[in-house]
Amino acid sequence: MNKTLGTILKIVLPLTISALILWWMYRGMNWQEVSDALSGGMNWTWMLLSLPFGILAEALRGLRWRLALEPLGEHPRNNTCINAIFLSYGSSLVVPRVGEFLRCGVLKRYDGVSFARSMGTVVTERCIDIIIILVLSGITVLLQIPVFARIAKEKANAEKQLAGIMNKLNNPGFMGKAPEAVINGAREDAAKLTALIEKLDACPEGERDLPY
């Protein structure tokens, strides 16, 4: 009797807690928008074409995880590691970050892998990911320095031209003597320069209008 009750609690209690967590996280979601996106807001052809590459990436991630565990004296099966990775990402879509603990629990449950050791490899993976992202971000910034310099120069020139035009438009002598067509042209130039400066301030969108 006690064993049966314990088994029921092991099934019912986690499901109840999961249901409450799901309700709390998604209680304000607009499900109509989700339905619209799935029915016509996305290109299913590209989604299906990308599916094999996504599966391959996660399978390779599982194999990489197994290789990381081997030096620690742990030898889980390939399929267990791969399935744990898929389960990890699937669960994280429901409850963020819970998948990292779940996949370590799967290896512990089915292949007897030490939870502490597998969690250590997960933390190591995340540290390596952060380092790689920082390195790639730094390389990207360095490669874009000429672009940033070009944007700054273009903006400085536009601001200088705009200041000259505004000085004329704020000059009573110019406004009183200049023909109407010249004044209108100066105002149009000022509007164009103002729009250009706004685009340059909204970098990287402003890069599209720069001459390369």
Side-chain angles (χ1 to χ4, degrees):
M1 179 65 179
N2 290 336
K3 186 176 181 181
T4 303
L5 181 61
T7 303
I8 293 175
L9 288 176
K10 286 182 180 180
I11 298 174
V12 174
L13 188 60
L15 289 176
T16 303
I17 295 175
S18 299
L20 291 173
I21 292 174
L22 288 174
W23 171 81
W24 175 259
M25 291 182 61
Y26 298 103
R27 66 190 186 282
M29 177 170 287
N30 188 335
W31 293 103
Q32 184 58 45
E33 292 182 357
V34 176
S35 177
D36 293 342
L38 293 175
S39 60
M42 61 188 299
N43 191 322
W44 282 98
T45 300
W46 287 110
M47 289 293 293
L48 293 176
L49 288 175
S50 66
L51 182 62
F53 298 99
I55 294 175
L56 178 62
E58 302 313 323
L60 293 176
R61 193 180 186 93
L63 296 177
R64 184 188 71 173
W65 191 26
R66 182 179 183 278
L67 291 176
L69 286 165
E70 284 185 348
L72 302 177
E74 303 290 351
H75 302 281
R77 292 169 293 176
N78 287 335
N79 64 325
T80 305
C81 292
I82 294 173
N83 291 335
I85 291 292
F86 281 112
L87 184 61
S88 167
Y89 280 94
S91 60
S92 293
L93 291 174
V94 180
V95 182
R97 313 316 303 174
V98 73
E100 307 293 7
F101 299 96
L102 184 60
R103 64 165 163 156
C104 295
V106 169
L107 260 61
K108 172 69 175 176
R109 174 73 170 77
Y110 292 98
D111 284 357
V113 175
S114 168
F115 186 90
R117 290 178 180 177
S118 58
M119 181 56 68
T121 60
V122 171
V123 173
T124 302
E125 282 184 359
R126 290 293 169 260
C127 291
I128 293 174
D129 291 342
I130 291 173
I131 293 173
I132 292 175
I133 290 174
L134 291 175
V135 171
L136 293 177
S137 299
I139 293 173
T140 301
V141 170
L142 291 175
L143 293 176
Q144 293 300 311
I145 286 178
V147 176
F148 297 147
R150 190 178 295 113
I151 291 174
K153 183 178 180 180
E154 183 78 8
K155 181 182 177 183
N157 291 336
E159 289 176 340
K160 183 177 180 180
Q161 295 177 37
L162 179 61
I165 294 174
M166 295 307 297
N167 286 336
K168 289 182 179 180
L169 293 176
N170 292 328
N171 188 333
F174 174 80
M175 297 297 291
K177 296 178 181 180
E180 188 68 23
V182 175
I183 295 175
N184 291 335
R187 287 172 175 167
E188 291 178 0
D189 291 340
K192 292 178 180 179
L193 289 169
T194 300
L196 176 59
I197 293 171
E198 290 176 352
K199 287 184 178 181
L200 293 174
D201 285 335
C203 180
E205 287 81 2
E207 295 179 26
R208 303 171 187 170
D209 298 320
L210 290 177
Y212 292 102

